[in-house]
């Protein structure tokens, strides 16, 4: 295989010219990639909405019998692993597979993981989570990179395109918990996992069917490994996976690698990985004039960490709170607690096109990307501060708050997510050094890994401190960070060219 023939089974680097405005004024490839994300998020967040409940449910009820704090911590550690692997996914796309194949094989692994979790044994649960982690690490950063390749850097449709793409993500985020939550509540958790498997399979089918509309399907000869180096790299990767798996199994077998130690290890790695990756990119001889754009990117990275620390708890502590202290009846209709997670997706589906339309209408007059991200972080903090009110002033833990409190919290969080993630991914695709295009998007996902790593430790306090203190302190920190990013806006505007 020559260095220029990777992904040669596809039929060109660019989609047909007539595709450029074929999907509501955007490239037709946006429809293909958005369709994939609908089903990937359906499967991932559908499973995520019931995962913490599955961990916490008694064994007699089909769960794993963990304490609430432990269940939330393990769920966060799984999220950490998912996004840590995205670094390897970005590297594989840049150097070996190309974006198209990385996404394809990532989707295959995700589907296999969900099918494994459909098998009602604890062992297959862990196998399935491992496969999903590997597959998501391949798929997520590279889909976002492919969206960026549909637009020129100075195309004013770019942020609006990412907003539409994020709307599609949240169609899946809305539908997934509804289906998996109902199946888990009425048929059992593993039926919910089966629905997630079917969703990912459908996503893969439409992705392959629409591949001719995608840009950047051929690998860049400039940065791909030579054939011999590529073969050596693949052999080393396979050997490394086998060695790590064998070592982990041995340490677990002798009792040293407990679940708590594994969670702690992932947290440490989630802190070290982005530090090392920033250092590698700053020192790389392949990064020259682009190096100055990485400095403001550190600020965006940290803002993403703080926001996603709040966001991911929508699927852990907030779901646990909903299952124990929130009413699950609206207008006389009873629903599973996991359905609250669908409210977040519903708000983002509704808000994303509004945000996209506003940015498109404003054009160059729209707020700078750093301010959009700062507003998102502040809204995330306010979503937690809101929860201080219904959880305060109770003599015991038997109260039931109205459903609208959690729905209102998710409304604030959903708007913050649309602002931060769409602007963050768009800015990442523009600030990325050419030699690290997919890997820089992986760095954005490392912010999610770090957020989950921190969450894996802090949620252990969920059972030990009062709910007003837990939500109040976390929310206040997020608001403070958002205000700090706003204060840095003048410097960020000067240093983030060509981002506006």
């Amino acid at each position: 295989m020559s260095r220029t023939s990777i992904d040669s089974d596809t039929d060109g680097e660019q989609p047909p010219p007539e595709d450029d405005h074929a999907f509501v004024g955007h490239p037709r490839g946006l429809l293909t990639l958005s369709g994939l994300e609908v089903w990937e998020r359906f499967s991932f967040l559908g499973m995520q909405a019931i995962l913490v409940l599955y961990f916490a449910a008694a064994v007699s009820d089909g769960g794993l019998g963990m304490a609430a704090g432990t269940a939330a911590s393990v769920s966060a550690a799984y999220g950490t692993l998912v996004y840590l692997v995205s670094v390897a996914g970005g590297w594989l796309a840049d150097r070996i597979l190309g974006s198209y194949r990385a996404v394809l094989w990532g989707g295959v692994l995700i589907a296999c993981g969900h099918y494994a979790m459909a098998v009602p044994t604890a062992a297959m649960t862990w196998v399935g989570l491992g496969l999903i982690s590997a597959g998501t690490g391949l798929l997520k950063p590279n889909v976002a990179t492919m969206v960026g390749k549909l637009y020129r850097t100075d195309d004013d449709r770019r942020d609006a395109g990412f907003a539409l793409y994020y709307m599609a993500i949240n169609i899946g985020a809305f539908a997934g918990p509804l289906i998996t939550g109902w199946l888990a509540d009425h048929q059992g958790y593993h039926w919910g996992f089966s629905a997630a498997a079917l969703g990912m399979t459908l996503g893969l089918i439409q992705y392959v069917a629409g591949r001719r509309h995608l840009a950047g399907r051929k690998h860049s000869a400039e940065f791909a490994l030579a054939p011999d180096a590529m073969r050596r790299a693949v052999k080393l990767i396979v050997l490394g996976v086998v060695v790590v798996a064998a070592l982990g199994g041995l340490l677990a077998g002798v009792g040293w690698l407990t679940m708590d130690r594994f969670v702690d290890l992932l947290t440490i790695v989630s802190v070290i990985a982005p530090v090392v990756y920033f250092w590698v990119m700053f020192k790389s001889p392949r990064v020259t004039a682009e190096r100055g754009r990485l400095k403001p990117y550190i600020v965006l990275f940290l803002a993403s960490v703080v926001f996603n620390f709040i966001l991911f708890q929508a699927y852990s502590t907030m779901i646990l709170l909903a299952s124990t202290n929130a009413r699950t009846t609206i207008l006389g209709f009873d629903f599973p607690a996991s359905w609250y997670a669908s409210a977040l997706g519903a708000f983002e589906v509704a808000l994303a096109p509004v945000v996209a339309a506003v940015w498109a209408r404003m054009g160059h007059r729209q707020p700078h990307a750093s301010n959009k991200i700062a507003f998102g972080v502040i809204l995330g903090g306010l979503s937690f501060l809101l929860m201080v009110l219904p959880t305060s002033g109770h003599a015991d833990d038997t109260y039931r708050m109205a459903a609208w409190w959690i729905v209102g919290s998710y409304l604030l969080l959903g708007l913050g997510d649309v602002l931060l993630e769409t602007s963050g991914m768009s800015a990442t695709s523009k600030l990325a050094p050419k030699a690290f295009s997919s890997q820089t998007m992986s760095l954005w996902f490392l912010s999610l890994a770090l957020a989950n790593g921190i969450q894996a430790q802090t949620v252990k306090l969920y059972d030990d401190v009062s709910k007003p203190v837990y939500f109040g302190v976390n929310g206040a920190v997020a608001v403070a960070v958002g205000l700090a990013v706003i204060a840095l806006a003048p410097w960020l505007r000067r240093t983030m060219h060509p981002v506006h």
Side-chain angles (χ1 to χ4, degrees):
M1 179 187 298
S2 71
R3 294 174 64 182
T4 59
S5 64
I6 298 175
D7 284 342
S8 58
D9 57 325
T10 60
D11 57 354
E13 175 68 20
Q14 296 296 329
E18 63 270 18
D19 281 356
D20 192 54
H21 290 78
F23 174 54
V24 293
H26 290 265
R28 189 183 297 273
L30 183 63
L31 177 62
T32 298
L33 296 173
S34 298
L36 173 66
E37 280 286 16
V38 167
W39 290 111
E40 190 276 332
R41 290 292 93 178
F42 173 95
S43 65
F44 185 86
L45 293 178
M47 183 270 288
Q48 190 87 350
I50 61 176
L51 185 65
V52 70
L53 299 176
Y54 169 63
F55 286 156
V59 175
S60 59
D61 294 328
L64 296 186
M66 297 179 184
T70 302
S73 180
V74 174
S75 180
Y78 157 67
T80 305
L81 184 60
V82 165
Y83 294 112
L84 281 175
V85 176
S86 69
V87 177
W91 184 88
L92 285 169
D94 278 344
R95 303 291 185 257
I96 297 178
L97 293 173
S99 295
Y100 174 80
R101 285 184 176 174
V103 170
L104 176 63
W105 288 109
V108 170
L109 288 174
I110 292 170
C112 291
H114 285 299
Y115 283 117
M117 291 189 70
V119 179
T121 66
M124 291 304 290
T125 294
W126 304 120
V127 170
L129 290 176
L131 289 171
I132 295 168
S133 298
T136 305
L138 273 173
L139 184 145
K140 285 298 289 182
N142 295 307
V143 175
T145 299
M146 292 176 77
V147 172
K149 290 178 180 178
L150 295 172
Y151 301 91
R152 299 184 311 276
T153 299
D154 60 350
D155 193 331
D156 284 338
R157 298 177 301 166
R158 193 183 186 93
D159 280 12
F162 271 98
L164 290 172
Y165 165 71
Y166 211 65
M167 180 185 71
I169 287 176
N170 287 291
I171 292 174
F174 166 71
L178 291 180
I179 303 299
T180 60
W182 188 90
L183 287 170
D185 199 52
H186 290 80
Q187 302 295 329
Y189 291 104
H190 297 284
W191 281 90
F193 299 147
S194 297
L198 178 60
M200 192 65 243
T201 302
L202 294 174
L204 281 171
I205 292 171
Q206 73 85 41
Y207 174 67
V208 173
R211 65 180 179 173
R212 75 183 185 90
H213 304 297
L214 303 177
R217 285 165 291 147
K218 287 185 178 180
H219 201 286
S220 171
E222 183 179 357
F223 302 116
L225 294 177
D228 289 342
M230 192 179 298
R231 283 190 286 270
R232 287 195 300 271
V234 170
K235 290 178 181 177
L236 286 173
I237 291 169
V238 173
L239 179 61
V241 170
V242 171
V243 169
V244 170
L247 181 60
L250 176 62
L251 293 175
V254 300
W256 187 88
L257 187 61
T258 63
M259 184 60 69
D260 284 341
R261 285 177 175 168
F262 183 65
V263 170
D264 293 343
L265 177 62
L266 285 178
T267 297
I268 292 171
V269 174
S270 73
V271 173
I272 294 174
V275 173
V276 171
Y277 225 79
F278 270 114
W279 182 84
V280 168
M281 291 173 67
F282 272 109
K283 295 296 184 181
S284 174
R286 294 177 174 178
V287 180
T288 54
E290 305 156 309
R291 188 171 289 115
R293 302 206 301 255
L294 290 175
K295 294 177 181 178
Y297 188 69
I298 295 175
V299 176
L300 306 189
F301 177 91
L302 294 175
S304 175
V305 170
V306 173
F307 176 81
N308 282 291
F309 168 78
I310 301 290
L311 177 68
F312 290 136
Q313 293 190 63
Y315 299 93
S316 59
T317 56
M318 289 290 286
I319 289 293
L320 290 170
L321 181 67
S323 68
T324 57
N325 297 109
R327 296 171 189 162
T328 53
T329 301
I330 293 181
L331 302 177
F333 176 75
D334 293 324
F335 58 91
S338 57
W339 278 20
Y340 275 110
S342 284
L344 180 60
F347 286 131
E348 296 193 20
V349 169
L351 292 169
V354 175
V355 171
V358 170
W359 298 158
R361 178 175 291 271
M362 294 182 71
H364 283 293
R365 294 180 293 108
Q366 62 190 272
H368 189 260
S370 64
N371 280 334
K372 296 176 188 176
I373 290 169
F375 297 151
V377 177
I378 291 171
L379 287 168
L382 291 175
S383 75
F384 258 34
L385 289 176
L386 179 65
M387 298 312 300
V388 173
L389 298 176
T391 57
S392 298
H394 302 287
D396 54 39
D397 201 35
T398 60
Y399 64 91
R400 290 290 186 273
M401 72 180 75
W404 306 112
W405 286 106
I406 293 181
V407 171
S409 177
Y410 280 1
L411 172 60
L412 293 172
L413 192 58
L415 179 57
D417 197 24
V418 171
L419 292 176
L420 183 138
E421 292 296 340
T422 56
S423 299
M425 287 190 293
S426 179
T428 297
S429 67
K430 286 187 275 190
L431 292 172
K434 188 176 180 181
F436 292 87
S437 60
S438 292
Q439 294 175 78
T440 307
M441 190 61 73
S442 296
L443 187 58
W444 178 255
F445 286 103
L446 270 184
S447 72
L448 279 59
L450 180 53
N452 267 308
I454 297 171
Q455 182 199 166
Q457 302 303 317
T458 57
V459 294
K460 295 177 182 178
L461 301 173
Y462 181 75
D463 292 327
D464 300 328
V465 301
S466 70
K467 301 301 184 288
V469 169
Y470 184 85
F471 290 108
V473 171
N474 288 330
V477 169
V479 170
V481 170
L483 293 174
V485 175
I486 290 177
L488 290 170
W491 175 74
L492 290 169
R493 279 194 291 268
R494 288 195 307 270
T495 55
M496 284 177 62
H497 182 79
V499 178
H500 53 77

